[in-house]
Each structure stands twice: as C-alpha cells, then as structure tokens.
Amino acid sequence: MKHPLKLKIALQDLPHKCERTLLVPEDCTMLQLHFIIQESFGWMNAHLFEFSDAKGRATMRVGIPDDFDDFGGPEMLGAHEVLLKDSILFKNGAKPFWYWYDFGDDWWHKISFLKATQKEIEAFTGIPYCMDAVGKCPPEDVGGPWGYANFLEVIKNQKHPEHKELRKWYGLEPGEIYAENEVSIAEINQYLEDLFNSENWESNEYELF
C-alpha cells in the first residue's frame, strides 16, 4: 500500500482564496508534483517553474536545469531526479516550501505539509487526490496577481470599455458569468486520475504546451 503525503497548496496575493488540499504519493518526484499542481489548479503547463525552500534567498532549488539559468542562488536540481520526501520533507524539516510558476507573471504557491489521518491513509489508492478546493485559478497570461485583480474588476463591470473584449479573450459564452469562487473537486480528481494514467506521469521530460 502506498502511503500519501498530505499537502495544502495556497496561491498567494489574490483578491480571493485559491487553495487545494491534496493527497499525493510519498514517492512522487518533484516533476510529478509539478504536474499535480498544474492539474489541480487549472494551469495549462505553459511556462517554466521552480520549487524552493524560501521565497527569495533559497538554499534549495528544484526545477528544470538550464545552462542559461541566471536567477542566481544554489544550483538547480532536476525535478525528475528528486523525490518530494527527500528534497523538502526531510531536508527542510517539513516546513512550508514554495512553487513558483511563470517567471513573468510570478505565481507563487505556498505548500504546507498536513498530517494525514489513518482513514485517509487507508483509503488512498496511490492516485493523487484532491480533498478540498477553494477558488478558481486565474487565467494564464493575465499579468500576475495585479493583472488578475484588474481582470476581475473589468469582467464584472458590463459598463467598462474593455468588458466585451476581455470576455472574448477569456472565452465566456453569451450570458455566462465569471465565478471566481466556483471550482469542481470532481473535475479536478478526474484530471488527476487522467494524469496518473498518462505518459506524462512516468516521463522524465518537460515540454511546454
């Protein structure tokens, strides 16, 4: 039986909460965790990412090694080569750590370890599982937290001169309302199951979509 690690992941600096509580396999790699976060939040895997033990002045960095890496700090470890439990859980004393997605929009996710109950451990099948979800994920390329705040202001104001253009950009149907607090756990878990059964789960490659 595979034991899970229980994580709470909170996207930072939004006008509303956007959090996911997940059970993930204890032997998952950091690349697999990246894909889990992408699927559970609704990101599109369209940008680079980095895990670190601190938001700024990191002593541990995990992501996609790049000969042109110019962010400074410690050497980047390959995400597919590092297990979550080895890179963060043991070496960092199970303290919260960070997932940074899209180095332009700067989406920072704070990841905290929670204690799984015996019931949760026994029910875990080995497939990543979302236990709780709060808030919709911002659209890709919206301009980071500031751009998303502006997006919400415009999309909710029918009199705003950019309202129609923004609705079209996001892809809202006529009469459809953007509900920032609406999220489907069932949908997230279907995405996670599809991920687990896909080639990406065992892949050591990182390709932008």
Side-chain angles (χ1 to χ4, degrees):
M1 179 178 68
K2 286 193 174 183
H3 288 266
L5 295 176
K6 188 175 182 179
L7 305 176
K8 181 177 181 180
I9 307 177
L11 185 52
Q12 304 292 290
D13 304 319
L14 299 191
H16 60 84
K17 281 188 177 182
C18 185
E19 301 176 348
R20 306 289 184 261
T21 302
L22 304 166
L23 294 177
V24 305
E26 66 174 356
D27 62 350
C28 78
T29 67
M30 300 302 282
L31 182 58
Q32 289 171 331
L33 180 58
H34 157 71
F35 286 124
I36 289 170
I37 295 173
Q38 289 285 306
E39 296 293 348
S40 60
F41 274 84
W43 295 121
M44 302 301 292
N45 192 32
H47 301 280
L48 296 175
F49 70 93
E50 178 181 307
F51 292 97
S52 63
D53 60 340
K55 188 179 178 182
R57 297 188 178 181
T59 62
M60 181 188 302
R61 299 168 65 221
V62 179
I64 308 300
D66 189 334
D67 292 338
F68 300 99
D69 178 18
D70 60 356
F71 288 107
E75 180 183 358
M76 179 84 73
L77 301 175
H80 68 283
E81 299 176 325
V82 181
L83 296 181
L84 167 60
K85 65 178 182 179
D86 291 341
S87 68
I88 303 296
L89 181 57
F90 295 146
K91 293 184 179 181
N92 198 34
K95 297 176 182 178
F97 63 103
W98 295 90
Y99 172 74
W100 178 21
Y101 173 62
D102 186 347
F103 302 157
D105 278 6
D106 291 330
W107 299 111
W108 286 92
H109 307 65
K110 184 177 182 180
I111 306 177
S112 303
F113 287 100
L114 304 177
K115 185 175 181 180
T117 66
Q118 187 61 35
K119 185 177 180 181
E120 291 166 348
I121 293 173
E122 292 174 354
F124 185 64
T125 65
I127 300 175
Y129 184 76
C130 181
M131 302 184 63
D132 189 34
V134 179
K136 190 188 297 291
C137 184
E140 290 275 7
D141 302 319
V142 77
W146 179 87
Y148 181 55
N150 181 71
F151 169 86
L152 288 177
E153 180 181 344
V154 174
I155 208 78
K156 291 178 175 296
N157 182 2
Q158 296 184 12
K159 296 182 179 180
H160 195 284
E162 298 176 8
H163 178 78
K164 290 184 178 180
E165 181 181 350
L166 203 59
R167 283 182 61 89
K168 183 178 180 180
W169 174 80
Y170 183 73
L172 288 176
E173 298 293 334
E176 185 181 358
I177 298 174
Y178 183 86
E180 67 270 28
N181 294 309
E182 186 177 289
V183 62
S184 169
I185 294 180
E187 197 171 82
I188 290 172
N189 280 317
Q190 185 60 62
Y191 292 151
L192 291 174
E193 183 175 348
D194 292 345
L195 166 66
F196 184 79
N197 292 315
S198 73
E199 294 181 356
N200 277 341
W201 184 251
E202 297 296 340
S203 174
N204 291 334
E205 298 181 0
Y206 178 77
E207 295 182 3
L208 298 178
F209 297 154

